[in-house]
Amino acid sequence: MAKRSSTPSILRPHAETAFAAELKALINQDKGVKPTGWNLSPRAVVDYLLGETLADGTEISPKYFGDRRLIEVAVASLVTDRALLLVGVPGTAKTWVSEHLAAAISGDSTLLVQGTAGMSEDALRYGWNYARLLAEGPSEAAMVPSPVMTGMQAGKIVRLEELTRIPSDVQDALITILSEKILPIPELNKEVQAVRGFNIIATANDRDKGVNELSSALRRRFNTVVLPLPATLEEEVRIVTDRSSAAAAGMELPPVKKDVAAEITRLVTIFRELRNGRTEDGRTQVKMPSSTLSTAEAISVVNQSRALTHHFGSGSGLEPEFLAASLTGAIVKDRGQDEPVWREYLDVVVRNRKGWEDLWEVLK
Ligand SMILES: Nc1ncnc2c1ncn2[C@@H]1O[C@H](COP(=O)(O)OP(=O)(O)O)[C@@H](O)[C@H]1O
Ligand SMILES: [Mg+2]
């Protein structure tokens, strides 16, 4: 049998592992007041998310690109007794921000519940190890705590993904947890009292609105922060460039260099125009496809076309031919509906745009 390497290479380390050095430097140099149970002061948490140069010269890389005030509001909500709800269209970094907030505040982003339609209350409260339950009856040893219960006991941030996909009656299990900060365990005639530092960061997609609306009782327990799509072309290009550079190492691709800047700008322009239903100069109306043309999707297109270029093309950079292939795949999700929209856009916009002749050649 082949000998296994003793340290397998992890595909995607948790934020607190990937950014352990930054977090350590922030903790060491944090002059602010830390809320009980927090690893960092609120200001240092915001610095971790938005990037900063520390007094000793340590560079904290930006994780989120956007409005500083938005992240300040998010962090401040977590200091209060309200939970945080991040909403926005898909691909606006809700999951990304919640992971980094948990890593910065609790040093642990792993307490995670993924909301689904078929979820039961156990996933928010606790379940049982049935073999032990049958053998010994209900006991603490027979309990299987949910991440929420673990977070309450340890005083840590718990992440709840896609809150509005959870059936309403199951969502309501959160009301007692968030208002009383306790989790009753009637079978043992006991309760878990949340330790300071516990709070919940939930995410919900705008597109899912109406699937399972939050009850007003639950909504009151959350402060809502809306994460917007990037306001300008430059901003979005910056996000896509930064995120695909970071992804390059993970995918064992060459680093992103200047030579891909032009292609990224063209890609993001196309995404924004199709998403907004008009060209960037505002002069031409275009039809919108059914596909979700998010920033996250643009990052995937860059990654995919760079992988194609690296393995099947010239090697480095991003060739228009491969960009075209990945782009079409991302935009045409529903052939009947999206293909005519995409063709019309190519015909009306791409064909006539100065400097885009090479892209038109490969796309037509
Ligand atoms: N404003 C932004 N700043 C930094 N990264 C962003 C931004 N918008 C999108 N991203 C990137 O998009 C990717 C997908 O985001 P994700 O958190 O999964 O979206 P959501 O949960 O909102 O659907 C992440 O890898 C993130 O880095
Ligand atoms: Mg998400």
Side-chain angles (χ1 to χ4, degrees), residues 91 94-96 161-162 203 205:
K94 300 179 293 296
T95 302
W96 179 245
E161 284 286 305
E162 309 293 1
T203 67
N205 272 326

Side-chain angles (χ1 to χ4, degrees), residues 251-269:
M251 295 182 303
E252 305 180 329
L253 293 175
V256 173
K257 295 211 212 74
K258 281 253 155 53
D259 55 350
V260 302
E263 296 309 332
I264 292 184
T265 305
R266 295 207 281 201
L267 160 72
V268 174
T269 305

